[in-house]
Amino acid sequence: MKTRPVQRSRLVPHTVNGKTEMVLDRYTVEVPVPPRDWDRTVLTAVTAVAGLLVAIAVVWSTASIGDLLSRVTIAPAAYAAAVAFDLAWILCMAVEWLARYDPARAALPRNMGHGALAVAMVAVGTHGWLAGQEAIGIIGAVVSGIVKALWTVVLRHHAKPLDDKTQQWVDKQRAEAGGELAMVSINRELTRARGLVSAEALALGTSPDTNPEPSGQVTDDPDSNPEHPDAEVHPIRPGTMTTRDAVRNAVDSGIRDEDAVLRYVRQVADPDAKLSTVERYLRGLRRSA
């Protein structure tokens, strides 16, 4: 069995002039070397060669299609457009690789890649036909087909399809994570919209959450209900004071009921104030009293 030296260290006591300190003691041990994973080595080599062949195919088809398109446009634009023919099916292969654990999601990029490859092969063959070299055009088109077929084999080997139940579990987890990700953007949009509403309300001197009450009914508005516990408190424009200041103002005005304080805070400071926040401030004021 093969071994390799590995340097390690440990703390050991060392005494000088009667004083002991813990110092590092470095030593070397021989550890066994695992056998070479030839399967992984071969797969890595095959993947590298496939990548090299892709580069060769791109150069060949770009030269052919670029020369074909340069008949009707300037060369830089023609060769730039020619690159797109091969990049299309190469990008589809990349997406197929990302979806290698989900056959259903990998089907679309695989089919799109086959279509893009067919278009590129037709373009290469057309170039040879127009140049009077039909055989060379066919052989050149087959180069891209061989490379794509080789990559399909490599991707099939890398792909690890899941069983039906595990795939359903993965789909549910992906959907849940996608919903959470979507809510980040949605919450940001809602927060921005509420901020614009509040800013507009402050600019106009009105409250964004005031709703008219049906006539003839007792409402929670202190101005329309003289018996309301907040009737003695004169509200100011929302957003001009903090929640803490609003709680203190309510307590100083003689309001002791937590629900009444919460209503007042929502009216003059924060329409979205929570009861737990108001209760925390009330406890702080009671302790300091």
Side-chain angles (χ1 to χ4, degrees), residues 31-162:
V31 298
V33 177
R36 180 181 293 274
D37 186 355
W38 288 106
D39 291 344
R40 174 56 58 180
T41 301
V42 172
L43 182 59
T44 302
V46 169
T47 305
V49 172
L52 177 61
L53 291 179
V54 167
I56 295 174
V58 169
V59 172
W60 171 263
S61 63
T62 300
S64 299
I65 300 175
D67 185 61
L68 174 66
L69 298 179
S70 64
R71 297 169 182 260
V72 294
T73 186
I74 59 175
Y79 284 94
V83 175
F85 282 81
D86 277 335
L87 283 183
W89 62 266
I90 291 174
L91 292 178
C92 288
M93 287 196 311
V95 177
E96 183 183 355
W97 164 269
L98 296 176
R100 61 189 181 277
Y101 299 115
D102 191 342
R105 298 180 67 190
L108 177 60
R110 184 186 304 116
N111 295 333
M112 292 290 294
H114 291 160
L117 174 65
V119 173
M121 293 176 65
V122 169
V124 173
T126 302
H127 174 261
W129 178 68
L130 293 178
Q133 301 291 335
E134 292 82 0
I136 295 178
I138 294 174
I139 294 174
V142 171
V143 170
S144 297
I146 292 176
V147 172
K148 179 65 169 68
L150 175 61
W151 261 107
T152 299
V153 173
V154 173
L155 288 176
R156 291 282 180 89
H157 190 82
H158 280 284
K160 301 295 186 292
L162 305 176

Side-chain angles (χ1 to χ4, degrees), residues 102-240:
D102 191 342
R105 298 180 67 190
L108 177 60
R110 184 186 304 116
N111 295 333
M112 292 290 294
H114 291 160
L117 174 65
V119 173
M121 293 176 65
V122 169
V124 173
T126 302
H127 174 261
W129 178 68
L130 293 178
Q133 301 291 335
E134 292 82 0
I136 295 178
I138 294 174
I139 294 174
V142 171
V143 170
S144 297
I146 292 176
V147 172
K148 179 65 169 68
L150 175 61
W151 261 107
T152 299
V153 173
V154 173
L155 288 176
R156 291 282 180 89
H157 190 82
H158 280 284
K160 301 295 186 292
L162 305 176
D163 62 88
D164 182 62
K165 292 182 179 179
T166 304
Q167 187 64 58
Q168 293 182 45
W169 183 90
V170 171
D171 292 340
K172 290 181 180 294
Q173 293 296 312
R174 184 182 288 120
E176 181 179 350
E180 294 176 357
L181 183 60
M183 288 306 300
V184 173
S185 176
I186 293 173
N187 287 333
R188 186 183 299 116
E189 179 183 354
L190 293 176
T191 301
R192 182 168 56 251
R194 293 191 181 106
L196 292 175
V197 171
S198 299
E200 182 73 12
L202 288 175
L204 298 176
T206 60
S207 175
D209 59 345
T210 54
N211 295 318
E213 296 290 343
S215 60
Q217 297 183 8
V218 179
T219 69
D220 287 335
D221 186 4
D223 296 333
S224 61
N225 184 10
E227 298 181 358
H228 194 280
D230 300 345
E232 298 300 324
V233 181
H234 299 284
I236 60 178
R237 291 191 302 172
T240 58

